[in-house]
Amino acid sequence: GDSVTQMEGPVTLSEEAFLTINCTYTATGYPSLFWYVQYPGEGLQLLLKATKADDKGSNKGFEATYRKETTSFHLEKGSVQVSDSAVYFCALRGLRYSTLTFGKGTMLLVSP
Amino acid sequence: ETGVTQSPTHLIKTRGQQVTLRCSSQSGHNTVSWYQQALGQGPQFIFQYYREEENGRGNFPPRFSGLQFPNYSSELNVNALELDDSALYLCASSFDRGATEAFFGQGTRLTVV
């Protein structure tokens, strides 16, 4: 079945540092890929998405490129802020309509 | 703001009881999915409703059931609550069952004691 593996956290960075959170997936066919963010005590917010190979999703300085050859969708940001502290989830939408398979999440902690 | 609202935001139930959680989908959306997020884990798909019919189900026992109403709002019912049912329950609505994006509500935090 479909699965998503992402790096374990917490990832601890200083403000303005470069961020990478790794995500790889296993799926039948060509899934759509997503990054969601969850702030403490809140639900999930869509951060970015990519629907086909080599697509780059971007939003609020975050980027991720859909790499079919390595089945990866790593999240990057050039300069993190304290306000980026949250849990980040990589997810895929496979063949089943609109249902999402999530990774376990990676907590990001950014200090001033 | 996604336009998806869930109620209640928190509740505490005793083992063996039954609970009903509610979700109002975003305007124009006919598909609702429910997810369970245990502490420290990613959300797990429970089931999906499309135009009032169940359209898919994850690996959850039958004591997890649902409904979707003509206005596309939805309920999640859990019978015979167990301690492991303690989790954040998330509702997500989509424009259609084939839509790429799902929009999540804030969730209901259920604690079973």
Side-chain angles (χ1 to χ4, degrees), chain A residues 32 34 36 38 41-46 49 51 89 93 96-105, chain B residues 35 37 40-43 45 48 55-57 88 90 94 96-102 104-106:
Chain A
S32 295
F34 305 85
Y36 281 85
Q38 186 174 41
E42 298 187 9
L44 298 176
Q45 299 177 24
L46 178 64
K49 67 177 181 180
T51 57
F89 292 93
R93 172 185 171 272
R96 301 176 72 185
Y97 294 129
S98 298
T99 62
L100 294 164
T101 299
F102 288 87
K104 291 187 175 181
Chain B
Y35 294 83
Q37 186 182 11
Q41 301 294 315
F45 172 68
Q48 181 184 84
N55 187 50
R57 189 178 183 90
L88 180 68
L90 294 164
S94 304
D96 193 66
R97 62 181 178 178
T100 301
E101 290 188 39
F104 283 82
Q106 296 293 87

Side-chain angles (χ1 to χ4, degrees), chain A residues 9-89:
Chain A
V11 173
T12 305
L13 296 173
S14 297
E15 205 164 25
E16 299 183 3
F18 183 85
L19 168 71
T20 299
I21 300 178
N22 290 337
C23 170
T24 58
Y25 67 89
T26 302
T28 304
Y30 304 97
S32 295
L33 301 174
F34 305 85
W35 279 100
Y36 281 85
V37 59
Q38 186 174 41
Y39 296 100
E42 298 187 9
L44 298 176
Q45 299 177 24
L46 178 64
L47 182 59
L48 54 82
K49 67 177 181 180
T51 57
K52 60 183 186 296
D54 300 323
D55 267 2
K56 177 184 283 189
S58 62
N59 186 26
K60 300 180 181 179
F62 292 88
E63 294 182 340
T65 301
Y66 188 162
R67 300 290 189 199
K68 180 173 175 292
E69 63 276 11
T70 54
T71 61
S72 65
F73 193 55
H74 305 319
L75 182 68
E76 296 181 336
K77 187 176 186 183
S79 176
V80 294
Q81 306 299 313
V82 172
S83 57
D84 293 328
S85 298
V87 180
Y88 292 80
F89 292 93

Side-chain angles (χ1 to χ4, degrees), chain B residues 1-112:
Chain B
E1 283 289 328
T2 62
V4 180
T5 57
Q6 294 186 240
S7 61
T9 54
H10 299 83
L11 75 166
I12 300 173
K13 289 286 188 177
T14 302
R15 189 171 48 183
Q17 286 188 314
Q18 180 265 342
V19 69
T20 298
L21 311 182
R22 295 178 175 83
C23 171
S24 293
S25 57
Q26 188 168 329
S27 178
H29 288 191
N30 60 24
T31 302
V32 171
S33 303
W34 286 91
Y35 294 83
Q36 181 197 65
Q37 186 182 11
L39 197 62
Q41 301 294 315
Q44 298 287 318
F45 172 68
I46 302 175
F47 45 57
Q48 181 184 84
Y49 278 83
Y50 166 70
R51 295 184 179 271
E52 304 178 60
E53 299 283 334
E54 188 177 289
N55 187 50
R57 189 178 183 90
N59 190 25
F60 280 80
R63 60 189 185 83
F64 285 78
S65 63
L67 280 174
Q68 188 178 31
F69 300 99
N71 66 355
Y72 301 134
S73 65
S74 179
E75 287 183 353
L76 164 65
N77 300 289
V78 187
N79 293 322
L81 283 167
E82 301 177 359
L83 297 180
D84 285 349
D85 295 333
S86 295
L88 180 68
Y89 288 85
L90 294 164
C91 166
S93 79
S94 304
F95 177 74
D96 193 66
R97 62 181 178 178
T100 301
E101 290 188 39
F103 298 86
F104 283 82
Q106 296 293 87
T108 294
R109 173 73 62 187
L110 172 65
T111 302
V112 181

